[in-house]
Amino acid sequence: MRRSTREIGQAGESEAERYLRGKGFRILERNLRSRTGELDLVADDRGVLVFVEVKARGSGAFGGAIHAVDGRKQMRVVRQAARYLSSCREPNRPCRFDVILIESTGSTAVVLEHIPDAFQVPADDLRW
């Protein structure tokens, strides 16, 4: 039975969260939604606030997960991050943007690729 896009996404986020916890990250938020979008994961990596975009695909079809994190998607994540920073007690905290790509290669096999600091954002763009 084929899984829905939503199920694949939720499973991917769970896998990404397990992976990051195993690397010593502290998960602060998961699926943080607002009327303008969503942050998949917000984590702390040794004092650095990390906004993690998770892209999961059931296969490598259509170029795989990496092609889904284009400039437009990056700007959406940046806007959500700016909103998050404006509401937190440490708005000037160092932060970065990571991407985790997950592709299923079979019924249970998963390929996970973590790209730390996947894209750069000028500090002024993070002011809300």
Side-chain angles (χ1 to χ4, degrees), residues 4-112:
S4 72
T5 304
R6 184 178 190 90
E7 290 171 325
I8 292 169
Q10 289 174 341
E13 287 170 4
S14 294
E15 187 67 31
E17 183 175 350
R18 269 191 300 281
Y19 169 83
L20 291 173
R21 284 184 193 278
K23 293 288 187 183
F25 286 58
R26 190 167 50 96
I27 304 301
L28 304 174
E29 305 280 352
R30 181 172 170 179
N31 298 117
L32 187 61
R33 297 178 196 273
S34 76
R35 60 181 169 76
T36 58
E38 174 189 12
L39 290 170
D40 293 335
L41 295 169
V42 180
D44 179 280
D45 180 23
R46 294 176 220 99
V48 176
L49 191 61
V50 184
F51 298 99
V52 183
E53 178 64 19
V54 179
K55 283 298 168 192
R57 294 290 183 260
S59 73
F62 306 108
I66 189 65
H67 295 287
V69 188
D70 59 9
R72 197 167 126 200
K73 180 60 178 180
Q74 290 174 19
M75 287 314 301
R76 286 183 186 153
V77 172
V78 169
R79 278 195 301 272
Q80 290 303 111
R83 183 179 296 271
Y84 181 87
L85 287 168
S86 74
S87 69
C88 85
R89 285 178 258 152
E90 302 173 82
N92 296 319
R93 185 173 176 184
C95 62
R96 72 172 196 251
F97 295 88
D98 289 8
V99 173
I100 292 186
L101 309 171
I102 299 173
E103 291 184 15
S104 295
T105 59
S107 60
T108 58
V110 171
V111 175
L112 184 147

